[in-house]
Amino acid sequence: MSQSSYMQPHLAKRLSAPAALRNREPIRQALAAHLPSPASVLEIASGTGEHALYLSDNLAQVTCWQPTDIDSAALESINAWQADATTKTLLSAAFFDVLADTPPPLATFNTLIAINMVHIAPWTATEGLMRLANRHLSVGGIVYLYGPYWQSGVEPAPSNLAFDASLRERNPLWGIRHLDEVVELARCHQLHLKTCIDMPANNLSVIFIRKD
């Protein structure tokens, strides 16, 4: 019998993204300086679940982390990774679509996180994310976005130009967004830019705070 025959069933459902292993610690450092304490986190488009596992285990402020996605394989992967969680802060994955007019799976949260979602989704998904924050994010809470953005007065990195082209080839509605447009959309939903942090591989951590 092969070694794989002895594999625990949940292990076979785990998906892995190499980028998650590279950027999870820089993301942790960026979040650690700006998270509310205590932090109740709703994560949108959690993907493989690797970020949720690492960040919920390694951010002392986090008391509750709710991962979500709309893809069934991603939801299974998130729960498969959750089996390795060393704390009880990481909840089971929940289906949640920011375009649907439904209550979020976490009734109260002061942190809304979307890692690598804004550019790998239609612009309407970013609009839905901001509406969600406007309606449900606690006053004084934050929205944390991670990914590449076009910035006024900053020459685009060749790697980002190539990445944007590949995204639009896969789906014409995807693509790197202009930071000014995201900031303006956020402002229309009572969210104000708190800080913007340069990250490895030409990415940014963009953090908004919910005003009254």
Side-chain angles (χ1 to χ4, degrees):
M1 186 177 291
S2 68
Q3 183 178 359
S4 62
S5 300
Y6 294 97
M7 182 180 294
Q8 298 179 47
H10 75 279
L11 298 180
K13 296 181 179 180
R14 290 181 177 175
L15 304 176
S16 184
L21 298 179
R22 293 194 300 268
N23 63 34
R24 65 184 188 178
E25 178 54 22
I27 289 174
R28 186 202 68 79
Q29 293 176 21
L31 275 170
H34 296 281
L35 272 182
S37 185
S40 180
V41 179
L42 176 62
E43 184 186 10
I44 303 301
S46 301
T48 65
E50 292 167 290
H51 283 125
L53 173 66
Y54 184 80
L55 297 171
S56 64
D57 271 2
N58 291 281
L59 285 165
Q61 301 100 314
V62 173
T63 57
C64 176
W65 189 293
Q66 175 65 70
T68 71
D69 211 285
I70 61 173
D71 181 78
S72 58
L75 295 171
E76 289 185 345
S77 178
I78 295 163
N79 286 332
W81 283 110
Q82 186 202 29
D84 280 350
T86 59
T87 72
K88 300 298 184 181
T89 60
L90 182 58
L91 305 179
S92 297
F95 176 90
F96 185 67
D97 184 352
V98 295
L99 296 180
D101 189 19
T102 57
L106 200 59
T108 303
F109 57 94
N110 60 14
T111 306
L112 184 61
I113 289 178
I115 298 171
N116 287 327
M117 185 209 83
V118 172
H119 55 285
I120 313 180
W123 178 247
T124 52
T126 303
E127 293 175 329
L129 184 78
M130 298 304 180
R131 282 196 302 272
L132 173 67
N134 191 11
R135 294 172 180 172
H136 298 284
L137 182 68
S138 301
V139 173
I142 68 165
V143 174
Y144 174 89
L145 306 179
Y146 172 89
Y149 292 89
W150 307 131
Q151 298 179 80
S152 298
V154 177
E155 187 73 19
S159 60
N160 278 355
L161 290 170
F163 183 43
D164 181 65
S166 70
L167 288 172
R168 295 181 185 279
E169 184 176 353
R170 290 166 60 190
N171 187 324
L173 297 179
W174 295 1
I176 296 176
R177 310 302 178 185
H178 202 291
L179 182 60
D180 289 348
E181 295 178 357
V182 176
V183 170
E184 176 58 21
L185 175 65
R187 188 191 63 78
C188 292
H189 289 86
Q190 310 304 317
L191 300 164
H192 299 268
L193 184 64
K194 183 180 183 184
T195 190
C196 191
I197 305 167
D198 289 329
M199 303 291 282
N202 301 304
N203 289 298
L204 296 175
S205 283
V206 184
I207 303 176
F208 299 95
I209 186 167
R210 169 71 193 277
K211 297 291 188 179
D212 195 357

